[in-house]
Amino acid sequence: MEPINELYSELWWSNLLRALLLIAAGYFAAKICTKLTQRLVGKRLSSHPLGVTTNAVFWIVWLLFLVNAFHQMGFKVSVLLGAAGILSVALGFASQTSASNLISGLFVLGERSFSIGDTIQVGTTIGEVLAVDLLSVKLRTFSNLYVRIPNETIIKSEVTNLTKYPIRRFDLRIGIAYNADIAKTREVMFKVANDNLLCLEEPKPLFIVSGFNTSSVDIQFSVWSAQENFLTLKNTMQEQVKLALDDAGIEIPYPHLSLYSGTATKPFPIEIHNIGEQKMTIPNRGANRERS
Amino acid sequence: MIALNDISRFEVQSTSAGDGYCLLFGQAFIQIQRHPNEWRAEYSYGEPARENGWIQFGELNTSRLIMNADDCTLKLTPKLANRPIVVRPLTTVEIPAGKRATLYISTILWLEIIVNDTPLLELPAVRLSDTWFGPNTREGELCYASNTRARLNPKLLETAPYKALTPVEINNRGSKKLSLERLKVPVPALSLLENEGDYWTSGLQASIETELNSAKIKIDYHPPASTTPIAAPRQPPEKGVLHRALNLFLE
């Protein structure tokens, strides 16, 4: 009881006053330091990292004054710090996930792979970035859902920023029939791109015969647009290409399956049965029949 | 029907609701009508006229501006495009080392419709396709694309009341032949001028020392005395903006 009695001695009130003054002065000093930080690095940092930096400055400065205030009140700072150390280790073990997210958050902020307002894809989720916080990134999906992604996930997984650059390429993949003229198809598609005002003239559209599939010759036609016109271009190009190919008589085939009965055998007889009543037989006309 | 030759001076006081005006400006068909408490502009774009003189227009777009019942002054102002225009000469132009040439490039005008000093609508005479001008797909600028004959004599150019001529003086001070495939005309930084019924812009002077990407461009801010200023530059050129334009001027 003796130390407590000493604590309540005549010095107590003056120490308390000093401590309160230190806390108040610390608060104002921290505010001034925050303002100074804002002035010094405000132009170099975007709004979010700036907020994190100023918060950190405020708490560090004020914490120093708080520790000093405790010292004034007679607490042994070394003991307090030791206790804080043990507590932080215990807390660290208990909050591994949060700490991991916190550290990942610093890396996410430092990397600047995306910022507020960008549209990103994480895994299968695509959305507009609402906030980049220390623990998580908040997204708004195009179906207006609010998605919170922990920073640890962001650091560990592949993140695609869809709005990083001002222009974007749309790859239109289409198959044409084997009997279609590839040169004519190229001409038709370039004309569609040329007539579409949203399709950029430079970089030039790209026409690639990407492979020979089971039922079609596969074509990739890549066109560029401004970031903000991407969805409109995607919609209009697909519609216009379909119409233009139809007009030019170029078939977009559906899967075909050819059945051969072989040269040594007779062709397959085909019978079509209606439900219940009628029965119709189609006579054999050729060796090979195509069925789809 | 508003006559195109008077477009830069067109100002009319409408007397009553129901008054209507229409205009064919390039490929744009515009009709403007005064309603009791609003002004309404409808516009559409058509293909070039057919042999029989008929022009087919697309769907009409409408723009409405709510105004007071006594707001009756209608004014038209031609303007230069709101983005730089990248022109591609129909045939590549080559300028030998140590030579200088002045090319005349015509670019499409925009029209601003103003009711009592309030803009109602702004639209181009011809809708131009977008294009990208820059060293790669990450850095550069979104522009409009156009073709040019890049005439050396302005009299040979087809003048139209919805086009403006820009004189571009290119001075090849390097030791190699200069091949000009694309040219960015920074029209938002140029003034629009009128001379004897034709529209002109401030001139451009490009000087190439060694390489194309070190081209220096200068805007001529002192138009000839015979010209009348019609519209000020949309973007007064700032230090940085002009510098960026210099490096990307020729490709």
Side-chain angles (χ1 to χ4, degrees), chain B residues 115-131:
Chain B
V115 178
N116 273 40
D117 298 328
T118 308
L120 164 64
L121 184 67
E122 194 184 293
L123 71 175
V126 176
R127 286 182 301 178
L128 297 174
S129 175
D130 288 344
T131 192

Side-chain angles (χ1 to χ4, degrees), chain A residues 165-166 197 199-202, chain B residues 88 129-132 138 182:
Chain A
Y165 302 125
L197 297 175
C199 175
L200 297 188
E201 202 184 271
E202 290 276 342
Chain B
R88 184 186 286 279
S129 175
D130 288 344
T131 192
W132 183 249
R138 287 173 284 119
R182 293 208 304 160

Side-chain angles (χ1 to χ4, degrees), chain A residues 47-271:
Chain A
S47 63
H48 208 264
L50 182 68
V52 174
T53 313
T54 49
N55 272 345
V57 167
F58 177 83
W59 283 107
I60 288 167
V61 173
W62 203 27
L63 211 64
L64 286 174
F65 277 84
L66 280 176
V67 169
N68 211 341
F70 275 116
H71 182 67
Q72 285 295 326
M73 287 168 73
F75 291 102
K76 283 187 178 173
V77 177
S78 55
V79 175
L80 273 178
L81 288 178
I86 294 163
L87 190 71
S88 63
V89 170
L91 277 175
F93 275 113
S95 59
Q96 270 184 5
T97 316
S98 303
S100 164
N101 277 323
L102 198 78
I103 304 292
S104 304
L106 292 175
F107 283 111
V108 168
L109 283 170
E111 263 190 344
R112 293 182 186 176
S113 302
F114 52 84
S115 54
I116 294 166
D118 281 349
T119 303
I120 61 167
Q121 177 171 9
V122 186
T124 53
T125 310
I126 301 178
E128 180 197 349
V129 179
L130 295 179
V132 187
D133 294 332
L134 277 178
L135 291 180
S136 63
V137 170
K138 277 92 176 178
L139 300 184
R140 186 192 68 85
T141 67
F142 294 128
S143 50
N144 211 25
L145 301 177
Y146 181 85
V147 182
R148 177 189 174 278
I149 301 173
N151 284 334
E152 200 184 346
T153 313
I154 298 270
I155 285 286
K156 282 181 180 169
S157 53
E158 183 181 304
V159 177
T160 312
N161 188 339
L162 305 177
T163 49
K164 181 87 173 169
Y165 302 125
I167 55 171
R168 198 172 158 192
R169 195 176 87 168
F170 166 55
D171 295 334
L172 192 152
R173 290 188 173 86
I174 199 164
I176 55 166
Y178 269 92
N179 59 6
D181 185 348
I182 295 178
K184 192 180 175 187
T185 310
R186 181 189 284 118
E187 191 185 312
V188 168
M189 290 175 102
F190 270 97
K191 188 177 181 314
V192 170
N194 196 39
D195 290 348
N196 192 321
L197 297 175
L198 299 181
C199 175
L200 297 188
E201 202 184 271
E202 290 276 342
K204 288 187 170 58
L206 196 64
F207 182 93
I208 303 168
V209 179
S210 54
F212 298 97
N213 214 329
T214 47
S215 307
S216 62
V217 177
D218 288 347
I219 283 163
Q220 180 186 323
F221 189 59
S222 302
V223 288
W224 291 80
S225 79
Q227 188 62 254
E228 62 272 22
N229 296 330
F230 180 77
L231 198 62
T232 319
L233 178 88
K234 190 177 169 182
N235 273 333
T236 51
M237 275 300 288
Q238 303 208 86
E239 190 182 329
Q240 287 162 1
V241 162
K242 167 77 173 69
L243 291 173
L245 291 181
D246 285 352
D247 284 350
I250 297 165
E251 184 192 352
I252 302 173
Y254 43 83
H256 283 68
L257 180 66
S258 297
L259 293 178
Y260 291 92
S261 62
T263 50
T265 58
K266 286 185 178 178
F268 289 120
I270 296 174
E271 286 187 353

Side-chain angles (χ1 to χ4, degrees), chain B residues 127-187:
Chain B
R127 286 182 301 178
L128 297 174
S129 175
D130 288 344
T131 192
W132 183 249
F133 196 87
N136 53 47
T137 54
R138 287 173 284 119
E139 303 160 58
E141 195 177 4
L142 199 63
C143 306
Y144 292 117
S146 178
N147 287 330
T148 179
R149 292 186 190 279
R151 297 279 194 195
L152 297 172
N153 183 353
K155 286 176 185 165
L156 294 176
L157 271 171
E158 211 179 290
T159 54
Y162 55 87
K163 284 182 180 176
L165 276 180
T166 306
V168 183
E169 187 188 312
I170 298 173
N171 186 4
N172 184 8
R173 299 172 71 177
S175 55
K176 289 177 191 168
K177 183 175 69 176
L178 174 71
S179 179
L180 194 71
E181 286 175 1
R182 293 208 304 160
L183 187 104
K184 185 178 91 169
V185 185
V187 282

